Amino acid sequence: AQTVTQSQPEMSVQEAETVTLSCTYDTSESDYYLFWYKQPPSRQMILVIRQEAYKQQNATENRFSVNFQKAAKSFSLKISDSQLGDAAMYFCASQRANTGTASKLTFGTGTRLQVTL
Amino acid sequence: KAGVTQTPRYLIKTRGQQVTLSCSPISGHRSVSWYQQTPGQGLQFLFEYFSETQRNKGNFPGRFSGRQFSNSRSEMNVSTLELGDSALYLCASSKSGNTEAFFGQGTRLTVV
């Protein structure tokens, strides 16, 4: 079984500043994916960034980057130059990488990010 | 390209009734997964369908069921509704189940 833990229920950042959201996970799988999803007030889950566990290089997507520490089972999200539109609930999630078969997403409890002027 | 469409967006039902929620995946996507989101339990996986077959099921009672049609559209059904079934139900589609999942905007179910 996979578990995902987000220990920060809420975070706040000023516009244009940088913020880091924490996530730890536990899995017995040798190959898996890790994700950060954003859920704004519209409720639609939007994929922010995806990391393949076998890749050592940290994923980056514009202002969003991750710090993937495989041995520590840590997967934090860094948001640079924060914008008002970044305000949302952020969920960390894991998924077994098992080509051709179903694999559910296991979510953390989420971190609510506030962006202030 | 149209996204994942869930209908209805909002629903109010009475305890004991049953409800059917619908999800139309992105064109070409054959996998549809359903999740329940509540403040207390967070996001929990319900089940996943691929090519009309249920491939994976979460830890929910038998009152929760689903199906998928030949056009990949999926429905989930909850029978004998309980107050605790009040939640946001999210549907996600992907090409194969292990590729990127795209979510719909959800159906907010309120049981009174």
Side-chain angles (χ1 to χ4, degrees):
Chain A
Q2 299 190 321
T3 60
V4 177
T5 302
Q6 294 179 251
S7 58
Q8 305 156 315
E10 287 189 17
M11 294 282 286
S12 184
V13 63
Q14 279 192 318
E15 202 177 14
E17 296 297 307
T18 295
V19 65
T20 298
L21 308 184
S22 302
C23 172
T24 58
Y25 63 93
D26 193 16
T27 180
S28 56
E29 302 293 327
S30 58
D31 198 12
Y32 50 91
Y33 303 120
L34 296 168
F35 306 85
W36 279 98
Y37 278 92
K38 169 185 176 181
Q39 188 178 39
S42 69
R43 307 177 318 198
Q44 186 163 12
M45 298 284 274
I46 301 164
L47 179 65
V48 174
I49 201 163
R50 171 183 167 165
Q51 175 80 43
E52 294 165 339
Y54 70 88
K55 289 185 177 179
Q56 291 187 339
Q57 187 173 7
N58 290 322
T60 298
E61 198 68 46
N62 300 317
R63 298 182 294 107
F64 300 87
S65 61
V66 297
N67 183 4
F68 174 44
Q69 301 290 327
K70 192 171 184 177
K73 294 185 177 176
S74 169
F75 184 61
S76 61
L77 174 71
K78 185 172 84 170
I79 306 174
S80 304
D81 185 26
S82 296
Q83 300 175 359
L84 293 176
D86 295 334
M89 198 76 169
Y90 286 81
F91 292 94
C92 179
S94 67
Q95 182 184 49
R96 290 188 313 173
N98 199 351
T99 304
T101 65
S103 187
K104 67 177 184 180
L105 287 162
T106 299
F107 288 92
T109 52
T111 297
R112 183 171 302 280
L113 178 66
Q114 279 188 316
V115 181
T116 59
L117 293 171
Chain B
K1 192 175 186 182
V4 179
T5 304
Q6 290 188 246
T7 56
R9 291 288 306 279
Y10 302 90
L11 209 47
I12 299 176
K13 288 287 188 179
T14 304
R15 264 184 308 175
Q17 287 186 313
Q18 74 166 16
V19 67
T20 299
L21 311 182
S22 179
C23 173
S24 293
I26 291 172
S27 177
H29 286 193
R30 298 166 66 189
S31 168
V32 174
S33 297
W34 289 88
Y35 294 84
Q36 182 196 63
Q37 185 176 20
T38 60
Q41 300 297 317
L43 280 149
Q44 296 187 88
F45 172 77
L46 280 155
F47 29 64
E48 189 254 2
Y49 286 87
F50 182 83
S51 293
E52 301 179 67
T53 301
Q54 186 182 89
R55 292 198 302 189
N56 204 352
K57 190 177 191 306
N59 189 24
F60 278 83
R63 299 186 297 108
F64 291 81
S65 63
R67 59 178 175 169
Q68 186 179 34
F69 302 95
S70 58
N71 62 357
S72 293
R73 189 177 71 86
S74 177
E75 288 181 346
M76 68 162 280
N77 185 278
V78 188
S79 62
T80 320
L81 284 165
E82 300 176 359
L83 295 179
D85 297 333
S86 295
L88 179 67
Y89 290 88
L90 291 166
C91 164
S93 79
S94 66
K95 287 184 180 177
S96 67
N98 268 90
T99 52
E100 181 180 344
F102 294 84
F103 283 81
Q105 287 191 286
T107 294
R108 170 77 67 186
L109 172 65
T110 302
V111 182
V112 297

